[in-house]
Amino acid sequence: MGFCEYFRKQYLKKRILNIFASKSCFLILVCRILTLQTPILKMDTTHYISTEVLSLETLQEIISHHKSLALSEEAKVNIQKCREYLDAKMASHSKPIYGINTGFGSLCNVKISNNNLSKLQENLVKSHACGTGDEVPNAIVKLMLLLKIQSLSYGHSGIQLQTVERLVDFYNNDVLPIIYTQGSLGASGDLAPLAHLSLPLLGEGEVFFEGKKVHSSEVLKHFGWEPIVLKSKEGLALLNGTQFMSAYGVHVLIKACQFSYLADLIGTISLEGFDGRIEPFHELIHSIRPHKGQIVTANRVTQFLKGSKISNQVKKHVQDPYSFRCIPQVHGASKDAIDYVKNVFKTEINSVTDNPNIFIDTDEIISGGNFHGQPLALALDFIAIALAELGSISERRTFQLISGLRNLPAFLVDNPGLNSGLMIPQYTAASIASQNKQLATPASVDSIVSSNGQEDHVSMGANAATKALRVMENVERILAIELMNASQAIEFRRPLKSSEFIEQFLKSYREEVPFVNEDRILHYDIEKTVRFLDCFKTE
């Protein structure tokens, strides 16, 4: 029986929910674990885009339940009223308004005639579609579509209703534009990525559809859709915005909550394998330094260990190394960082981030800088650092486990010398942890002048976003290697057993990755362990 199947058993379901009675993000994770192996079918449910606050939990529900999107009547009215206002303004107003009847960036002082406004917007989209590098994962592209639709629905962007409805059609039919990871400075929004997101509206560019990459004109023909003819400001509304950074951030945040849980669980198994002490997790210790994440972590580890014979046996050693003893402090700090980043992104995904902004009630069109990605750049750097630290301390626990300490054989294998055992997976973990340290160097402290000096400070938030995703993927591999070592170490503690919770987890893991009796190709074990941990994921 697989681990996810086991967690669907009713008695463990009750126990887990009792253990994690908090409302934090890890409760959402555990609840999802209970149903992850249930076949997921495309549901007939719909999420209506509106001005109601869009939470990360709601986003996760939309994604995991494959909900379709539809514009609420409120959103339709907001979009239409704004467009009608802008059309009336352009008919009666001859003065230059940035991005509506002027050039862009340093060309902002070039006035464009009214009969060229549609061509201006089309040219904007085409000229800015100059991304390069790897293709953005489809899951993130779909998030970009959702977040762009949400931002345009507030009625401050001057977009046509049919343009937003076509983006909804793309989302609902899994028509996913091909977007590239490189090209955004994260300042005037994510110009290049959002240009590639927008190209298919014009029948240009490529999309991923029905399992293959095709030209968007083929998909438009398939559905009988005509290309959108952009009106004044629409290209700018589509390209200005932070949806590339935001989608990466949301994707990483959802996974970060899961990895926070896994780091606690796997760290606890390592503690057992190392015959570590339980006292550092006592609630009194943490009540006098009451950081939220620290308290949550200590309580979680304590609950994991309830009924453990290993943790309750008399210890010969007085203290454990920091990588074990300070799990609450280190893991907890990462949890608090994740909570901070979550709040930043909650604000962002409920915001209007294009430019200029239209305010019907006060009859104003105001050019500002809501597209600047600095809040996201700092937050993405922060979460990359927080995740990198989860990997860093994990690798140190692996190092301790293979060091031949506390009656464990060197490299956790019989006949060390003839067998190298788990010597080299620690090298791998160390290499990945070091790469994470390099990737965690902040992108947000960098800036470079663009657009002839008009855009003279940029956030580099897009680079922070792609780095954060790489750090997150690396952490999963580091944790997988720690689980390999921790589960191996516990076997050398037999006949003593850990808690029922941990023993059942290890029983399921052993069905995928058997005990290492003698040397074998451990690459396969690492990959199997990563797949085992994937059962915690929502996708």
Side-chain angles (χ1 to χ4, degrees), residues 172-203:
N172 289 340
N173 291 282
D174 285 325
V175 177
L176 304 178
I178 301 299
I179 303 172
Y180 301 93
T181 57
Q182 294 176 323
S184 173
L185 295 171
S188 297
D190 294 307
L191 294 174
L194 290 174
H196 285 280
L197 185 80
S198 304
L199 279 175
L201 294 168
L202 311 178

Side-chain angles (χ1 to χ4, degrees), residues 276-294:
R277 302 188 69 99
I278 189 66
E279 291 87 348
F281 303 90
H282 196 287
E283 63 182 353
L284 290 177
I285 290 286
H286 307 287
S287 68
I288 58 174
R289 196 199 192 193
H291 291 292
K292 178 185 173 183
Q294 181 175 328

Side-chain angles (χ1 to χ4, degrees), residues 107-120:
L107 298 173
C108 61
N109 293 317
V110 179
K111 178 78 162 50
I112 308 298
S113 64
N114 283 354
N115 59 348
N116 280 325
L117 296 187
S118 181
K119 185 64 175 177
L120 173 70

Side-chain angles (χ1 to χ4, degrees), residues 220-348:
L220 265 59
K221 183 178 179 181
H222 172 82
F223 286 103
W225 296 333
E226 291 295 325
I228 299 292
V229 177
L230 298 178
K231 298 181 73 173
S232 59
K233 193 189 178 296
E234 284 202 277
L236 200 57
L238 290 164
L239 270 57
N240 275 172
T242 60
Q243 285 75 40
F244 178 86
M245 293 176 276
S246 295
Y248 266 88
V250 168
H251 183 78
V252 170
L253 271 169
I254 291 172
K255 297 294 189 294
C257 291
Q258 299 164 356
F259 288 141
S260 175
Y261 175 92
L262 285 171
D264 292 348
L265 177 56
I266 294 169
T268 305
I269 298 170
S270 291
L271 182 74
E272 290 282 79
F274 199 61
D275 193 26
R277 302 188 69 99
I278 189 66
E279 291 87 348
F281 303 90
H282 196 287
E283 63 182 353
L284 290 177
I285 290 286
H286 307 287
S287 68
I288 58 174
R289 196 199 192 193
H291 291 292
K292 178 185 173 183
Q294 181 175 328
I295 292 171
V296 167
T297 305
N299 180 62
R300 187 182 288 178
V301 172
T302 301
Q303 295 297 333
F304 280 148
L305 291 175
K306 275 192 174 178
S308 168
K309 302 298 183 184
I310 297 175
S311 65
N312 287 328
Q313 71 174 332
V314 176
K315 311 295 182 185
K316 296 179 181 178
H317 51 279
V318 176
Q319 283 190 331
D320 294 323
Y322 286 2
S323 57
F324 296 94
R325 193 186 346 155
C326 298
I327 286 175
Q329 290 78 9
V330 177
H331 288 200
S334 291
K335 285 182 179 63
D336 291 339
I338 291 167
D339 281 347
Y340 166 78
V341 174
K342 182 177 179 181
N343 287 331
V344 171
F345 277 85
K346 183 179 179 181
T347 297
E348 189 72 8

Side-chain angles (χ1 to χ4, degrees), residues 47-277:
H47 172 76
Y48 288 91
I49 300 292
S50 69
T51 58
E52 289 186 16
V53 173
L54 182 64
S55 67
L56 291 173
E57 290 77 15
T58 300
L59 277 176
Q60 187 175 12
E61 183 181 346
I62 294 168
I63 296 163
S64 61
H65 291 292
H66 300 274
K67 290 187 176 183
S68 60
L69 299 182
L71 296 175
S72 66
E73 288 305 311
E74 175 195 29
K76 290 179 182 179
V77 169
N78 288 340
I79 293 167
Q80 287 175 312
K81 284 176 63 178
C82 186
R83 184 65 233 179
E84 290 166 2
Y85 168 86
L86 183 57
D87 286 339
K89 176 67 72 173
M90 295 308 299
S92 62
H93 194 86
S94 61
K95 292 182 179 179
I97 305 174
Y98 173 72
I100 297 177
N101 58 3
T102 72
F104 308 102
S106 65
L107 298 173
C108 61
N109 293 317
V110 179
K111 178 78 162 50
I112 308 298
S113 64
N114 283 354
N115 59 348
N116 280 325
L117 296 187
S118 181
K119 185 64 175 177
L120 173 70
Q121 301 301 316
E122 181 182 329
N123 285 348
L124 176 71
V125 175
K126 290 179 178 179
S127 66
H128 284 57
C130 54
T132 188
D134 296 331
E135 293 178 7
V136 175
N138 286 336
I140 295 178
V141 173
K142 194 156 186 178
L143 267 173
M144 287 178 67
L145 283 169
L146 193 163
L147 296 177
K148 175 53 79 174
I149 293 164
Q150 180 71 33
S151 184
L152 293 174
S153 70
Y154 293 113
H156 296 288
S157 302
I159 201 86
Q160 292 182 91
L161 179 60
Q162 64 173 327
T163 305
V164 185
E165 287 178 332
R166 180 62 54 80
L167 291 174
V168 172
D169 288 335
F170 286 170
Y171 183 93
N172 289 340
N173 291 282
D174 285 325
V175 177
L176 304 178
I178 301 299
I179 303 172
Y180 301 93
T181 57
Q182 294 176 323
S184 173
L185 295 171
S188 297
D190 294 307
L191 294 174
L194 290 174
H196 285 280
L197 185 80
S198 304
L199 279 175
L201 294 168
L202 311 178
E204 299 285 354
E206 295 178 305
V207 298
F208 188 84
F209 179 64
E210 294 186 339
K212 58 184 179 181
K213 190 192 300 185
V214 297
H215 195 274
S216 66
S217 59
E218 295 181 34
V219 176
L220 265 59
K221 183 178 179 181
H222 172 82
F223 286 103
W225 296 333
E226 291 295 325
I228 299 292
V229 177
L230 298 178
K231 298 181 73 173
S232 59
K233 193 189 178 296
E234 284 202 277
L236 200 57
L238 290 164
L239 270 57
N240 275 172
T242 60
Q243 285 75 40
F244 178 86
M245 293 176 276
S246 295
Y248 266 88
V250 168
H251 183 78
V252 170
L253 271 169
I254 291 172
K255 297 294 189 294
C257 291
Q258 299 164 356
F259 288 141
S260 175
Y261 175 92
L262 285 171
D264 292 348
L265 177 56
I266 294 169
T268 305
I269 298 170
S270 291
L271 182 74
E272 290 282 79
F274 199 61
D275 193 26
R277 302 188 69 99

